[in-house]
């Protein structure tokens, strides 16, 4: 799998983001949808990556800078044909590594509270994210859960060294 910066202009990524927005619309009430559209994802404070195997799009994820020491995970989505193959895990690992390179002390996210979002919540919990209060401009919402992770640079560098 190759994870690369994406300018959000390709037809495959456009289709995947469209599917992501449609899925959010089916699972969440409009006031609880925090997924970003293509134009919003092109904001200068967001870095967007896509994961590929040859010409096949596997998934995507983004990192939004909230402050010099706090980032937010956005638009994590795995292509339907590649669910449960470790795509989201690898994209999340990539985002965590980038957040640490940037010197972030904390990484946070919002996801749904409904059963359909259980696999996402489990993934984030397995990576050490814990539930927290709303952050940034979010407010309490029964359809949302908020998670955060303090980034420990020393332990991640040790872990990465073991993987090499």
């Amino acid at each position: 799998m190759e994870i690369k910066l994406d300018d959000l202009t390709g037809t495959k990524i456009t289709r995947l983001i469209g599917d992501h927005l449609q899925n959010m619309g089916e699972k969440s009430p409009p006031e609880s949808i925090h997924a970003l559209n293509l134009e919003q994802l092109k904001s200068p404070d967001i870095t967007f990556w896509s994961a590929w195997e040859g010409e096949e799009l596997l998934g995507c994820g983004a990192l939004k800078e909230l402050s010099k020491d706090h980032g937010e995970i956005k638009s994590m989505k795995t292509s339907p044909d590649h669910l449960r193959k470790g795509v989201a895990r690898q994209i999340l690992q990539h985002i965590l590594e980038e957040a640490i390179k940037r010197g972030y002390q904390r990484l946070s996210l919002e996801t749904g509270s409904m059963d359909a979002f259980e696999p996402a919540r489990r993934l984030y919990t397995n990576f050490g994210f814990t539930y927290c209060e709303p952050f940034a401009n979010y407010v309490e919402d029964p359809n949302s859960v908020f998670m955060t992770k303090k980034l420990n640079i020393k332990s991640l560098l040790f872990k990465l060294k073991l993987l090499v």
Side-chain angles (χ1 to χ4, degrees), residues 54-86:
E55 296 295 313
E56 192 163 357
L57 176 61
L58 307 179
C60 63
L63 178 57
K64 178 179 182 177
E65 182 168 293
L66 299 175
S67 71
K68 65 179 181 69
D69 63 353
H70 189 192
E72 179 184 4
I73 296 171
K74 297 296 293 180
S75 299
M76 287 280 295
K77 174 72 175 169
T78 301
S79 296
D81 293 340
H82 297 285
L83 295 171
R84 289 172 285 292
K85 294 180 182 178

Side-chain angles (χ1 to χ4, degrees), residues 3 5 45-49 61-74 76 90-109 127 129 148-154 156-157 160:
I3 298 174
L5 282 173
D45 59 347
I46 296 177
T47 306
F48 186 88
W49 295 275
L63 178 57
K64 178 179 182 177
E65 182 168 293
L66 299 175
S67 71
K68 65 179 181 69
D69 63 353
H70 189 192
E72 179 184 4
I73 296 171
K74 297 296 293 180
M76 287 280 295
Q90 289 187 51
I91 293 170
L92 181 55
Q93 182 67 42
H94 183 84
I95 291 172
L96 278 164
E97 290 169 14
E98 180 63 26
I100 287 172
K101 286 179 194 173
R102 292 180 183 188
Y104 294 165
Q105 301 298 307
R106 188 165 71 125
L107 192 57
S108 301
L109 63 97
F127 268 79
F129 285 82
T148 195
K149 177 179 176 68
K150 288 185 180 178
L151 300 179
N152 182 332
I153 294 171
K154 288 181 183 178
L156 183 65
L157 291 175
L160 291 173

